Every structure is written in structure tokens, then in C-alpha cells.
Amino acid sequence: MRAGRYLLLALSFIIYHLPFSSAGAQTLVELNCENLFDCQHDEGKEDLEFTPAGERRWTSTRYWRKLNSIGQEILSCSEQLPDLVALVEVENDTVMRDLTRRSLLRGAGYEYLMTQSPDVRGLDVALLYQPARFRPLCYDALTVPPLENMRPTRDIFYVQGETASGDTLHVFIVHAPSRYNGELETRPHRRQAMTVLLAALAPLAGKNVLVAGDFNDYADSPSLQFLEKAGLHNVTSKAQGAKGLAKGTYRYHGEWRSIDHVLVSAPLVSRVDSTYINDAPFLLEEEGTYGGWKPRRTFQGYSYQHGFSDHLPLVVVFSSSK
């Protein structure tokens, strides 16, 4: 316990001395947090497994360890504080307030905005931002009307803001419906979410648009191809691990693939300086069945693993428009 406390103090000291991105560059991180729930039951939501008496024995100790782990994961993405962080699978305002105000990130100066979606488990998406680097002007939550036999899903989050260079940036954060009942059976559900997204993008032709999140689909899947045919560019389709350990953000049955993506409009393509996956060794563990490495996740089934997330962070660095 004492060693862990010293580590947090050391990391907190480092945060206060991390520089912002240079005036020209801007860094985006996208991360699926893997079930970042608090310990309380939200009325009307299927979240009882993430309570102290639930199947996962989700105690305050595990909760605060998870918050600090997510903070550590974000800070390890670049040598400078990321300007924008698109988070997926965060439960509510309590979680986001604790993450930004009371966890390892408390000295980083992040503000946040988030959705309140009809997702049956209560999961939402959120945007962390550095106020000195991004100033929100307006925001909205885009509801995805469920099809027949489709569970209510996460809203698509839209934030319009001004960057440090004076540009207007339109940010969309997506957590598309899962493949839980099979890829083919649930394909229309993800297409429905992309249809809602494209309707919101239509008035923004020629603008600086950034779409990030967990699409529960690969770069060559129909839903992502649907977006590319509409004029978006998947700038992370070939992103690899910065340390050479990961070939995707997610590993399933021994195969690295990416279901997390960042897409941009044409005006932003030339400003993409670099893209990579944060595969820092402490975020990984050995894959016993298939060999190699896999994300060091919080749970394996219902077995607590003391980890971070089953997804690795996706990072995009943009150069200045000036």
C-alpha cells in the first residue's frame, strides 16, 4: 500500500510539470475505459454487478484504483498533456468529476462534458479538454432511434469548440452498438448509428470535423466504409503500437484488430502529423493461450485483474493550420 501511495505522489508531481502541447500542435486521445462505473446503483439502469454486493464486488477500493489507472493511461499517451480526450464507457457525472478532480488527473486541469444516454447499463461518452487549448462553444447529444429488437444505445456526442490556433473544430464521439448477438445480426444497429451521424455532418461540409470512438467495427466493415464513402477519412486505419508491441487497439482470440477509430474531414487530413496506439508495456500482459501480448484489462470474465482496460488508447497528433 505504501509503495502504491508513493507512486501516485510521484506521478502527481510529474503532472504538474508536464507541458501543454506546443502552440501549433494538438493531441487527441481516444480511449474505451472498459466499464468505468462508480459503486452506486443508478435507478433504472442495469448496473448492479458494479456495486459492492454485485457479482464483480465493485468496492470503493477497486473504483479508485480504476480511476487512477485510467489517469495514468491517459498521461502516458504523449510527452505533453493531451489537449482532447474522447472517453467511452464512463457511467455518469460522478465518475467524471472524480476522474478530473480527485484522481491522479486532479492536477492536469481538465474540464469535461458528457452525455446522459438511454443505454440500459447507463454507460456514456465524454470529452476531456484543456480549457487553454480548446474552448467549447456549444454541444448536443444525438439520440440513435432503436430499430426493432435493438436495445437503446449510447448517444453520439457533438461538441463545437475553438482551438488554441483560433480554428473552429467540430468533434463527434461515438460508441456504436455492440456485436453481442452476432456481427451480421447487429450490423443494421451500427448502420443506424452511422446514419444519425451522417445527418449531423451534412451541414458541416468543408468544416474541420473530427469523429472518434469505439465503432465496434473494423476499418473494412460496412459501417466504416459507409462513413468513408460520405467523405470522411479514417486516419488511424493503419495505426500501430508506438512500442511495436500492439498491432491494434483490441485483441480477440489472439488476433490484434482495431475497433477504435478517428476519422476526419478533408480539411483536417493534411494536418494529421502522426497516429499511433499507446502500447506502453505496463498496459499489457502476456497472452497465455495464444502467445504475445494483450491489453491488461480490469476483469477477465468476473475475475478481477487489477488492470487498466481491454482497449489500448488511440493517439492522433495534429499540426497547426497557421
Side-chain angles (χ1 to χ4, degrees):
M1 284 294 289
R2 196 173 284 177
R5 196 172 295 128
Y6 289 151
L7 174 60
L8 290 180
L9 287 172
L11 287 171
S12 297
F13 175 82
I14 292 170
I15 292 170
Y16 282 105
H17 292 82
L18 277 174
F20 290 110
S21 299
S22 62
Q26 191 157 40
T27 302
L28 165 80
V29 170
E30 183 278 335
L31 173 63
N32 182 317
C33 298
E34 188 199 5
N35 295 319
L36 184 49
F37 284 90
D38 64 15
C39 303
Q40 306 298 316
H41 171 53
D42 284 355
E43 191 67 31
K45 298 297 183 180
E46 297 176 8
D47 63 352
L48 287 173
E49 62 181 306
F50 282 95
T51 58
E55 293 174 286
R56 297 184 186 273
R57 299 294 185 264
W58 195 240
T59 62
S60 60
T61 299
R62 291 182 174 185
Y63 169 62
W64 284 104
R65 178 168 185 159
K66 174 81 171 184
L67 287 172
N68 286 318
S69 294
I70 294 299
Q72 185 182 3
E73 191 165 8
I74 291 170
L75 293 170
S76 69
C77 286
S78 60
E79 294 182 356
Q80 300 171 318
L81 283 171
D83 302 290
L84 299 172
V85 184
L87 294 180
V88 173
E89 289 198 14
V90 292
E91 185 184 17
N92 52 34
D93 187 74
T94 297
V95 167
M96 293 306 301
R97 187 173 62 252
D98 286 344
L99 179 65
T100 57
R101 300 290 184 268
R102 303 177 65 194
S103 80
L104 180 62
L105 281 183
R106 63 187 178 274
Y110 283 110
E111 300 290 343
Y112 68 89
L113 297 167
M114 71 179 304
T115 59
Q116 282 190 303
S117 301
D119 178 75
V120 294
R121 298 177 67 216
L123 289 173
D124 289 294
V125 301
L127 178 69
L128 295 183
Y129 63 93
Q130 287 288 342
R133 307 285 298 157
F134 182 80
R135 183 169 65 92
L137 301 174
C138 63
Y139 58 93
D140 195 11
L142 312 176
T143 299
V144 179
L147 303 174
E148 186 178 358
N149 299 321
M150 173 182 168
R151 302 202 316 175
T153 190
R154 282 74 55 174
D155 292 342
I156 298 171
F157 195 31
Y158 166 63
V159 182
Q160 177 186 341
E162 183 180 356
T163 67
S165 60
D167 294 324
T168 298
L169 180 64
H170 303 270
V171 180
F172 293 84
I173 304 177
V174 174
H175 186 192
S178 75
R179 298 181 169 205
Y180 183 72
N181 290 319
E183 188 279 326
L184 189 60
E185 291 79 3
T186 58
R187 188 180 294 179
H189 304 171
R190 290 182 292 283
R191 177 63 177 257
Q192 174 78 339
M194 297 309 102
T195 300
V196 171
L197 174 62
L198 287 184
L201 291 174
L204 302 177
K207 306 294 185 181
N208 296 322
V209 174
L210 185 157
V211 183
D214 177 354
F215 290 77
N216 275 306
D217 264 336
Y218 307 125
D220 57 357
S221 297
S223 67
L224 272 297
Q225 293 298 304
F226 183 47
L227 295 181
E228 294 210 65
K229 288 178 182 177
L232 291 177
H233 302 261
N234 189 342
V235 296
T236 58
S237 61
K238 297 181 180 180
Q240 297 285 302
K243 304 294 185 182
L245 301 174
K247 295 180 173 62
T249 60
Y250 187 80
R251 198 173 190 205
Y252 182 69
H253 287 177
E255 182 180 6
W256 281 107
R257 297 294 295 269
S258 288
I259 57 179
D260 303 275
H261 306 276
V262 176
L263 299 96
V264 302
S265 58
L268 284 180
V269 174
S270 62
R271 290 172 53 189
V272 175
D273 184 70
S274 61
T275 66
Y276 58 91
I277 297 163
N278 178 12
D279 59 346
F282 74 89
L283 297 175
L284 302 168
E285 62 183 358
E286 291 186 1
E287 169 63 84
T289 303
Y290 300 98
W293 300 92
K294 66 179 180 178
R296 185 182 169 197
R297 60 189 301 174
T298 307
F299 282 93
Q300 186 67 47
Y302 285 92
S303 176
Y304 181 58
Q305 302 294 303
H306 304 272
F308 294 82
S309 173
D310 55 347
H311 291 240
L312 293 174
L314 191 57
V315 186
V316 181
V317 180
F318 295 90
S319 61
S320 173
S321 62
K322 303 299 184 183

